[in-house]
Amino acid sequence: MLWVAVTLVFFALRVLPGDAVLTTHRNSSPQQLETIRTELGLTQPLSVQYGGYLLQLAQGDLGISLTSYQPVTKVIAVRLVPTLALGLSAFGVATTLGMLLGVISSLGGWLGRFADMAILFSQAVPFYITAIVAVIIFSVELQWLPASGSSSPVHLILPAATLGFHTSGSIARVLSANLREAYQQPYMLTAQAKGLPPIDLFDHAFRIALLPTLSVLALQAGFLLSSTVIVEVMFSRRGVGSLLYQSVLDRDYPVVQALTLLGASTYLAANGVSQLARRQLDPRL
Amino acid sequence: MKLPVIALLCLLFMMVIAPYLATHDPIHAESGHELESYSHEHWFGTDRLGRDVWSRFVVGGQRTLSSALLATLIATGGGLLLGSLGNFGPLQSIIRLLIDALLAFPAILLALVIRTLLEGNLLTLALAVGVANLATYSRVTMDALQVAQHQPYIEGARSIGASQWRLVTRHIIPAALPTLASFGAVVFAWSLLYASALAFLGLGGDPTQPDWGIMLQQGQGTIVQAPRLVILPASALALSVWLAYAVADTYSISIRKRSSRL
């Protein structure tokens, strides 16, 4: 699966117009450009480049960045920590908030309607709008939190909170719908008839409703991953997302290739984990 | 027809007549009239460069909505084709592999990469967003067709001698249609979000042309003095996305009603 993904990216990047060498060496003569291309192996036929790339990949070598001339693994490694921190904290916020909103929404009443509104807001409003508003309130007006940068954990609060909030909506929606459905199952009536306290009833329903929610969690991991690009550009954070944005602009193939590969494998891994967790929760699967 | 469907159609109709709703030239900057407030002349005031906000808003809406609509057509059209090929044709396994590989790329990331590699106008923006959602729609199509295919009444129809063509056109496609329509509306909502996000990042094509995403980005700097510059496109965007979700919901409710009747 990963191999198909790798191949797609490799050829797509080379078929599409744009030239890394031209972008980075605007002032060089045609001869100089030619030498640089030869050095980087860009003049060889595509099949040779592809073969060489696969061989390197098998050895864990991701190539050399066309703009900074450093090994891609090194370029990415430096940027990985801030993005991981952002992704994981946003995921934490999303899961906690999503579960909370989902449960409250399933209870109904005015509190439930309020939760429904929050869910709707989280899904329908693009997250960069909330980000703008949050920056205005907390950074410009109140001056509590820094608006941009990635040097300290405090810088993490605004981006992680906005991103997490906008991820929580889908989680809450699915959880709420499934909780309501679970409460209408016949075994819930049995449990109620036995005189179980509400908290045990909730435990019954929650376990069942959690199953479909887990697959949504995995899907949302993919959404988070790609949203970090926009978030990092907006909050000018140094991270994998802003690196991708810059590398795409510079046509830095090896870096883009490595990053898409990273994105795809993270996504597949998240899916795998959710499958395992589902089996743990429901022995029937 | 349900209310959300009518409302969404109204919105799309307003998109068509947008040039007639505009009171001024949306890209004409009137010097000396920067950041004016609400007035009879400029209904929603003017922006940082003295351009009429209302006109930019309606014409920008036309660009945003039409690129999202085009992206939706690309995603659903391609998705229907790939999804059916993955279910019926001789190339089934290859197509499925391709869909799964495409699915592994998060959509915004894919849209971003395609968008930056293709030099930009409205069409390439729609293409990037459309292709980004294509894999998901193919997958849904494939699943919907598969579910429809294995219903007992299909077997019944086959056993009384219905042709393959009749099975597909009269039974399988109508059964899968509500799911496909509902998810099509969801794809429209996603396309709106992605297209405006890319425009917001400055990847929407010609920056002088109005667009809700571009308006948001340009209004960001003056949000304290003139919050309407952000509020107007933001609420319109949120309303459109919400309408699209509501349309999707009406279809999925009709699916649930039908399955409970069975």
Side-chain angles (χ1 to χ4, degrees):
Chain A
M1 184 50 57
L2 268 181
W3 169 73
V4 182
V6 169
T7 310
L8 270 180
V9 174
F10 182 89
F11 285 106
L13 281 179
R14 275 157 184 78
V15 167
L16 293 169
D19 189 331
V21 180
L22 209 60
T23 330
T24 42
H25 302 269
R26 277 182 207 289
N27 302 321
S28 312
S29 68
Q31 285 87 357
Q32 281 172 310
L33 287 179
E34 214 41 51
T35 359
I36 297 170
R37 286 207 182 98
T38 320
E39 268 172 30
L40 294 169
L42 293 175
T43 44
Q44 289 166 325
L46 260 187
S47 53
V48 176
Q49 285 189 37
Y50 177 62
Y53 174 64
L54 279 191
L55 217 70
Q56 282 184 338
L57 199 61
Q59 295 163 351
D61 179 3
L62 293 170
I64 289 173
S65 161
L66 298 185
T67 48
S68 66
Y69 300 104
Q70 282 187 323
V72 172
T73 31
K74 216 169 151 187
V75 175
I76 293 179
V78 178
R79 302 275 202 134
L80 207 55
V81 177
T83 301
L84 272 181
L86 173 66
L88 287 179
S89 41
F91 193 68
V93 173
T95 316
T96 327
L97 199 64
M99 299 265 175
L100 210 64
L101 282 175
V103 172
I104 296 175
S105 145
S106 76
L107 294 178
W110 63 269
L111 208 62
R113 270 204 291 281
F114 177 74
D116 284 340
M117 288 289 288
I119 293 170
L120 188 69
F121 189 80
S122 126
Q123 282 198 306
V125 178
F127 69 81
Y128 51 83
I129 294 178
T130 325
I132 299 173
V133 177
V135 165
I136 296 299
I137 297 176
F138 294 106
S139 307
V140 181
E141 293 293 304
L142 298 172
Q143 303 205 329
W144 285 351
L145 299 165
S148 61
S150 51
S151 43
S152 74
V154 186
H155 288 92
L156 204 62
I157 298 177
L158 271 186
T162 39
L163 189 54
F165 170 63
H166 283 285
T167 318
S168 67
S170 332
I171 300 171
R173 223 167 124 102
V174 173
L175 181 65
S176 159
N178 281 292
L179 264 179
R180 273 175 218 183
E181 211 177 294
Y183 264 108
Q184 281 167 2
Q185 296 296 319
Y187 58 78
M188 290 302 288
L189 199 65
T190 315
Q192 221 167 353
K194 280 198 306 190
L196 281 184
I199 185 74
D200 285 344
L201 286 176
F202 176 75
D203 184 52
H204 271 45
F206 190 68
R207 275 160 190 267
I208 295 298
L210 211 54
L211 276 175
T213 316
L214 275 177
S215 12
V216 177
L217 274 182
L219 277 178
Q220 290 309 97
F223 171 78
L224 269 181
L225 202 71
S226 40
S227 303
T228 53
V229 179
I230 301 173
V231 172
E232 284 180 358
V233 173
M234 267 194 77
F235 286 94
S236 46
R237 290 176 59 82
R238 275 175 62 82
V240 178
S242 45
L243 177 66
L244 176 72
Y245 182 70
Q246 200 49 52
S247 311
V248 170
L249 289 181
D250 293 342
R251 309 286 189 275
D252 195 341
Y253 303 137
V255 178
V256 176
Q257 261 164 211
L259 285 177
T260 18
L261 188 63
L262 184 74
S265 27
T266 316
Y267 187 61
L268 291 177
N271 259 322
V273 170
S274 94
Q275 295 262 321
L276 281 180
R278 283 173 65 130
R279 278 202 200 119
Q280 279 293 314
L281 271 176
D282 190 346
R284 284 173 303 179
L285 288 174
Chain B
M1 286 264 264
K2 297 279 170 40
L3 197 64
V5 183
I6 297 171
L8 193 67
L9 285 178
C10 284
L11 195 75
L12 292 178
F13 177 68
M14 276 176 55
M15 175 194 98
V16 177
I17 60 164
Y20 301 100
L21 295 175
T23 50
H24 291 75
D25 179 358
I27 51 178
H28 173 67
E30 223 174 316
S31 54
H33 289 270
E34 290 87 4
L35 282 177
E36 273 181 12
S37 187
Y38 310 89
S39 68
H40 189 68
E41 173 70 16
H42 300 286
W43 294 348
F44 281 88
T46 55
D47 68 1
R48 202 162 34 120
L49 298 173
R51 294 174 297 197
D52 183 57
V53 173
W54 168 252
S55 308
R56 288 180 70 70
F57 168 68
V58 284
V59 175
Q62 187 179 33
R63 279 174 66 87
T64 304
L65 289 173
S66 55
S67 56
L69 196 63
L70 198 60
T72 312
L73 289 180
I74 293 171
T76 49
L80 281 176
L81 187 71
L82 270 186
S84 330
L85 284 179
N87 229 10
F88 299 120
L91 296 169
Q92 279 187 27
S93 49
I94 297 174
I95 300 276
R96 281 179 189 207
L97 196 67
L98 192 73
I99 294 175
D100 280 345
L102 267 176
L103 266 179
F105 299 110
I108 302 180
L109 198 143
L110 205 60
L112 186 82
V113 173
I114 300 172
R115 181 61 193 77
T116 6
L117 291 177
L118 296 171
E119 287 316 316
N121 52 34
L122 208 67
L123 206 68
T124 52
L125 175 69
L127 190 70
V129 176
V131 171
N133 287 326
L134 197 140
T136 320
Y137 200 81
S138 316
R139 183 82 230 185
V140 170
T141 308
M142 229 163 73
D143 290 347
L145 289 177
Q146 212 152 38
V147 169
Q149 238 175 333
H150 292 108
Q151 296 293 333
Y153 60 81
I154 299 287
E155 210 168 319
R158 187 176 287 133
S159 65
I160 59 169
S163 66
Q164 181 71 27
W165 175 251
R166 190 187 161 83
L167 277 181
V168 172
T169 55
R170 297 296 292 278
H171 296 290
I172 298 178
I173 290 178
L177 209 56
T179 313
L180 295 178
S182 162
F183 199 67
V186 173
V187 167
F188 181 63
W190 289 352
S191 301
L192 271 171
L193 290 176
Y194 294 166
S196 60
L198 290 183
F200 180 81
L201 283 182
L203 299 171
D206 188 355
T208 57
Q209 291 295 324
D211 177 295
W212 287 346
I214 290 174
M215 287 179 75
L216 283 168
Q217 189 212 7
Q218 292 172 345
Q220 196 184 352
T222 52
I223 192 170
V224 182
Q225 303 98 300
R228 68 203 138 79
L229 288 181
V230 169
I231 291 172
L232 194 63
S235 44
L237 204 55
L239 181 74
S240 322
V241 173
W242 173 69
L243 272 180
Y245 277 132
V247 169
D249 270 353
T250 59
Y251 278 113
S252 55
I253 287 168
S254 75
I255 300 171
R256 224 172 297 147
K257 268 191 188 148
R258 199 181 49 180
S259 52
S260 66
R261 214 170 41 221
L262 283 175

